[in-house]
Amino acid sequence: METLLSSLKLGGLTLRNRLAVAPMTRVSATPEGIPTSRMSDYYTAFAEGGFGLVVTEGLYTDKAFSQGYLFQPGLTEACQRNGWRPIVERVHDAGSRMIAQLMHAGALSQGNAYSAETRGPSAIRPKGQQMAFYRGAGPYRVPTAMSSEEIAQAVNGFAHAAFVARDAGFDGVEVHGANGYLLDQFLTEGVNLRDDRYGGSVEGRFRLIVEVVEAVRNSVGSDFIVGVRISQGKVNDFTHKWSGREDEAAAIFGSLGQLPIDYVHTTDFEAWRPAFGEGPSLAALAKKHLPVPVLANGSLHDPKQAAGLLRRGEADFVSLGRGALAHPDWPRRVAKGAPLETFNPGMISPIADLANAERHRTGTVAVAGQSEASHRLSQNAAEPNSLL
């Protein structure tokens, strides 16, 4: 396990180990998107438990169409920034670094305090059903196809949120281009049917990610960490695969490698499995085509699987979701050889918020709903941002 526990250079940062907390939607902010004291304790516990890097849940980036879930935290204005500052300070004081994930839900928005409408690349109803443990019900709404002006507003929202993140004391930002949210919607065939510069070929469908990353970099300067998260599977389409297989992966990761970023975060249901039934894993394909570190996510709560991925050179560091929820002190436990318990899905059912998790730990919550949560977790290639 020495590789997992060794330090890692990430841009201008030095991480104390190669273990990160994955972004996990916890819908526990105030209705205004301000983080709470309970959230502060939640994030600090991971730092005190030994994780070298803590990535926040997805933070919405504007007051138009980016918010995906009610009680999701944002990073759009001073009151939200001020809520994050003491949390970042506590994480730093405990020896960890902290990155804000910037997220626009697009057509998958199921709870937005600022708008009853949704936007996406095209007017196509998303697959699947809204997620009950994030207070959703029924099919997703049919989005309105974004205008050029609305695309520009979304790009500006990412850039502004990144600026606010730096002002709040974060060590970097992660642009959420995965899991079926807005940037991934633009990248996905069959979801993006546009005939303008943002549609058609992989290059056209990738264009919005390019514009967002470049705007974010211009906003925060050269000495601030910028990462991008990428996946094939989506919260509403678990089994989606890129139709171009390894050629498309090469095009996507090759294009990412030309952007001013410091790392790429890949996520798959089981990170060590072949990305297309046979051959390399998604993380290994990213590693093959990228000049920057690769952060791998996906069922890596078994230390042997996590260490094996690094030992084989398929990734540079790993992020944990379920493992971190089960044990906020996972790194310290692994270092001591202490036993690890299996994640109990009751922690995220019936609502995947921190209050429910707290009630579950104290034994004051019923187990009803666990079967549904267990089923979703077992098949989801990237559980909402992401409970892996």
Side-chain angles (χ1 to χ4, degrees), residues 18-100:
R18 294 167 188 257
L19 297 167
V21 177
M24 294 178 281
T25 299
R26 303 315 308 270
V27 290
S28 297
T30 70
E32 297 77 24
I34 301 170
T36 63
S37 59
R38 179 177 272 147
M39 291 171 61
S40 182
D41 292 341
Y42 165 77
Y43 282 113
T44 302
F46 295 125
E48 292 175 343
F51 283 94
L53 178 66
V54 177
V55 184
T56 72
E57 58 207 284
L59 312 181
Y60 64 83
T61 53
D62 61 49
K63 292 183 178 181
F65 304 107
S66 69
Q67 186 177 3
Y69 307 107
L70 297 177
F71 301 100
Q72 177 188 3
L75 204 55
T76 66
E77 58 185 343
C79 60
Q80 294 168 345
R81 175 203 63 199
N82 294 342
W84 281 109
R85 275 181 175 165
I87 299 176
V88 176
E89 289 175 2
R90 289 184 67 188
V91 169
H92 284 166
D93 289 345
S96 298
R97 299 294 188 170
M98 195 170 192
I99 283 177

Side-chain angles (χ1 to χ4, degrees), residues 5-328:
L5 301 174
S6 64
S7 63
L8 174 70
K9 288 286 292 182
L10 186 64
L13 302 178
T14 298
L15 306 182
R16 60 181 170 184
N17 56 43
R18 294 167 188 257
L19 297 167
V21 177
M24 294 178 281
T25 299
R26 303 315 308 270
V27 290
S28 297
T30 70
E32 297 77 24
I34 301 170
T36 63
S37 59
R38 179 177 272 147
M39 291 171 61
S40 182
D41 292 341
Y42 165 77
Y43 282 113
T44 302
F46 295 125
E48 292 175 343
F51 283 94
L53 178 66
V54 177
V55 184
T56 72
E57 58 207 284
L59 312 181
Y60 64 83
T61 53
D62 61 49
K63 292 183 178 181
F65 304 107
S66 69
Q67 186 177 3
Y69 307 107
L70 297 177
F71 301 100
Q72 177 188 3
L75 204 55
T76 66
E77 58 185 343
C79 60
Q80 294 168 345
R81 175 203 63 199
N82 294 342
W84 281 109
R85 275 181 175 165
I87 299 176
V88 176
E89 289 175 2
R90 289 184 67 188
V91 169
H92 284 166
D93 289 345
S96 298
R97 299 294 188 170
M98 195 170 192
I99 283 177
Q101 191 192 62
L102 307 182
M103 168 184 159
H104 192 306
L108 295 190
S109 176
Q110 62 181 50
N112 187 337
Y114 307 103
S115 176
E117 300 178 358
T118 60
R119 294 292 188 273
S122 304
I124 296 176
R125 188 188 303 276
K127 293 181 177 180
Q129 300 284 309
Q130 296 183 51
M131 289 163 283
F133 47 78
Y134 293 135
R135 300 183 176 90
Y140 290 97
R141 288 165 287 182
V142 177
T144 298
M146 296 178 78
S147 66
S148 297
E149 292 76 14
E150 288 171 336
I151 291 174
Q153 289 169 0
V155 172
N156 290 337
F158 274 97
H160 176 68
F163 180 85
V164 175
R166 178 159 192 162
D167 198 26
F170 283 101
D171 299 291
V173 294
E174 180 175 287
V175 173
H176 197 351
N179 302 110
Y181 296 113
L182 182 70
L183 303 188
D184 190 31
Q185 290 161 28
F186 269 80
L187 184 58
T188 302
E189 289 180 289
V191 174
N192 180 350
L193 302 182
R194 301 179 73 95
D195 57 7
D196 61 5
R197 61 197 295 266
Y198 295 100
S201 65
V202 174
E203 180 183 10
R205 289 182 278 115
F206 192 77
R207 190 180 307 278
L208 183 56
I209 292 178
V210 172
E211 292 184 0
V212 166
V213 169
E214 290 179 343
V216 164
R217 176 56 76 194
N218 289 336
S219 177
V220 299
S222 60
D223 60 343
F224 193 65
I225 296 297
V226 176
V228 177
R229 195 175 208 224
I230 289 289
S231 71
Q232 294 188 93
K234 311 171 192 313
V235 300
N236 65 315
D237 187 4
F238 307 144
T239 61
H240 177 84
K241 299 292 184 182
W242 295 329
S243 64
R245 298 173 65 87
E246 289 193 33
D247 287 343
E248 188 165 350
I252 290 170
F253 291 129
S255 296
L256 280 171
Q258 298 177 37
L259 296 178
I261 59 176
D262 298 288
Y263 74 94
V264 167
H265 190 176
T266 63
T267 179
D268 210 342
F269 178 50
E270 293 178 324
W272 61 92
R273 300 288 187 191
F276 302 105
E278 58 182 10
S281 66
L282 189 66
L285 287 168
K287 188 73 178 150
K288 177 180 179 181
H289 297 286
L290 285 166
V292 296
V294 172
L295 174 60
N297 170 258
S299 302
L300 293 171
H301 39 270
D302 179 343
K304 292 181 180 179
Q305 290 287 6
L309 203 71
L310 301 189
R311 186 178 61 253
R312 295 189 300 273
E314 296 182 48
D316 299 282
F317 54 144
V318 301
S319 68
L320 308 182
R322 279 177 284 171
L325 289 182
H327 294 294

